[in-house]
Amino acid sequence: MQTLSGPLHTPLSEVEPAGSAARSTDDVRFSSWLEHTFDAVLGGILFVELVLLFGNTAMRAIFTNSLVWANEVAEYALTSLAFIGGAVAYHRGMHMVVRFAIERLPNRQREYAECARHYFVLVVALIGVAYAVPMWIKSRNNLTTILQLSKSWTLLPFIIGMVLTVLFAVTKLARYRGRHNVVAGAAVLALAVVWFLLQYFTGPWDGPGGIAFALLLLLVLVFAGVPIAYVLSVTAYVYIYSSAAADPMAVSFALTNGISSFILLAVPFFILAGKIMTDGGLTKPLADWVTATVGRLQGGLLQALVVAMYIFSGISGSKIADVAAVGTTLKGMLKAQGYDEAESAAVLSAAGIMGETIPPSLVMMVLASITTLSVAAFFVAGVLPAALLGLCLMAIVFHRARKRNWPRCAKTSWRERMSITYRAFPALLVPIILIVGIVGGIATTTEVSSLAVVYAIAVSVLLYRGMTFRSFFSTMADSAAMSGMVLFMVSAGSAFSWTLAISGLQSVVSGFLDALGGSSVAFMTFAIVLMVVMGSILEGLPSLLIFGPMLLQMTTRYGIDPMHFGIVMIIAMGIGTFIPPFGICYFVTCAVMDTAVERVTPRFVPYLAVLVIGLIVIALFPAISLVLPHALNLK
């Protein structure tokens, strides 16, 4: 995912405008204290959620009985992670941000733009706070199903999250000089006044004109560097107010209801499992096993890179984390064997695209949660398309390796290979537990993910000894903040998708496709191009959240299986996130491999061409996606 945290970027919470350090010390201390306090709170919430769900699963397996209230408490914890964690993630600079345009501004103008984007976040939070009180009042008399608590208490995390976001935004703005705040604040206020006056005197902005305005506002704010989750939220509020299609409070309810799917309870555990694999020492044994398995092929380490991405993709919650984990593990070995850094980066980018449909995939799970698709069937449907793309990549690597005489890895004896496999096998069981448990119907997605987390913790602490008691809680806090970012993105994306649904965009798209002939080929081509473009601009998850539900609803009209269409959409989105000039994952891959974008691009083109051809083949032959789900009787 497109974040600015981690070793490749400076977190926004640490970015200090020029000349502001002396006057912002108290603000930094305050925001740092606030962040660490809520880090502990979020880590505790995630730990409680893990204990509840794993304990409930174990109790049902042993005593054939369960705590009926555990899931309701876990859902409350999920809401807390989404909104409180989303606020902390904003402070830590973990939200998805498109910086392509803002970083090309001169330094002085960039500081004004950086300041202005925090004002937009402040506006979203203030709107949320403004609607929080009437939402609280309306929900007081509604009770939860099992615990019979007032549903107004379930809105408390939303209120706390919005208030926290206000505080964090104010502390960020306090780090800028007075003139930056005056100019940026005045510019945002002027834009708001102009918008209000125009729509007031011209009447409601509904229909195609209103839709065009909403999408234009979306793109402008995205390229202005505003965190995408907040862009989706403010655009939804603005469109609903401008079009008078509904009460703007409905957007706030859509935000809180956007994460009500039980499946989403597994999101924090998917992320935590991936984080434990990285922090707990499980990455290196897996990389050694992959290298020993395919390293004797021509271009062995690049082949290992592709296979490693096949294994790692999907469970970390962040494509950037996948790329960083595999890239940093194999980078030294690639250099030592004389591989060009640009070629390695090109293969790593292509393998990242391939990995989008590999189960257990967070993107697939989120798409299933906002549609009627089955998670288990979706996971199975992604296996063969990912394998096809992976084999295509390995074939072109082999071809280029023979042409350029790239080396093979050193030969390993059977005894060494068995020893490496023995050491890697416990780590390999983490994704196997997730896939087999979910697809086999042994337990729900959430229960299986909690089991995989507990197993990963045990392996990393007791076997690999890569995690201490202190680092465990640090991993919990980081995973909670990452979960907050993802869940808040799902919440905002669901609200914006609901906005598009009532706007009539689907009718506009249908009319456009009718003008193109109204065939299934035209629809599939349109969807692929749209997802590649929007995946490049918005990154993968937001683009799927916005357009996925609408496009999937249209599949029945064109006689396309929604499961097959979902796989095609995800691959197209993946291509968008890894292609220049906007694809953030492409730039991150270049940074991981210590090379320039200009050197990587010409080497990346052949791999991209193979993947595009593979996508076309998958789109033309639905059986590639559907044969396994049908064989296992999954729908």
Side-chain angles (χ1 to χ4, degrees), residues 1 4-5 47 93 137 143 174 243-244 257 296 300 361 385 414 430 482 536 579 623-624:
M1 301 206 172
L4 297 181
S5 61
F47 183 75
I137 294 172
L143 301 179
S243 64
N257 293 332
R296 288 301 296 164
S361 166
W414 277 105
V430 177
M482 173 67 80
S536 179
I579 60 173
I624 297 174

Side-chain angles (χ1 to χ4, degrees), residues 506 548-557:
Q506 184 170 327
M550 180 191 71
L551 292 173
L552 281 166
Q553 285 180 4
M554 299 174 67
T555 54
T556 53
R557 177 182 177 185

Side-chain angles (χ1 to χ4, degrees), residues 26 46 63 68 119 129 156 162 193 217 231 295 352 381-382 431 448 518 535 556 631:
D26 292 339
L46 182 56
F63 303 108
V68 293
Y119 272 107
V129 172
L156 189 60
M162 293 298 104
V193 170
L217 177 64
V231 172
V448 171
T556 53

Side-chain angles (χ1 to χ4, degrees), residues 301-381:
L301 271 183
L302 291 182
Q303 303 282 15
L305 199 66
V306 175
V307 177
M309 282 300 295
Y310 194 101
I311 293 174
F312 281 97
S313 288
I315 65 171
S316 72
S318 168
K319 186 54 64 179
I320 287 178
D322 296 337
V323 166
V326 175
T328 53
T329 301
L330 296 178
K331 179 171 63 176
M333 298 167 64
L334 287 162
K335 286 184 177 180
Q337 290 197 15
Y339 287 94
D340 181 70
E341 292 91 343
E343 191 76 35
S344 301
V347 175
L348 185 57
S349 292
I353 297 171
M354 166 209 67
E356 292 291 355
T357 64
I358 296 171
S361 166
L362 187 64
V363 172
M364 296 169 76
M365 189 180 67
V366 169
L367 186 58
S369 73
I370 60 175
T371 61
T372 58
L373 299 176
S374 160
V375 175
F378 218 172
F379 280 0
V380 172

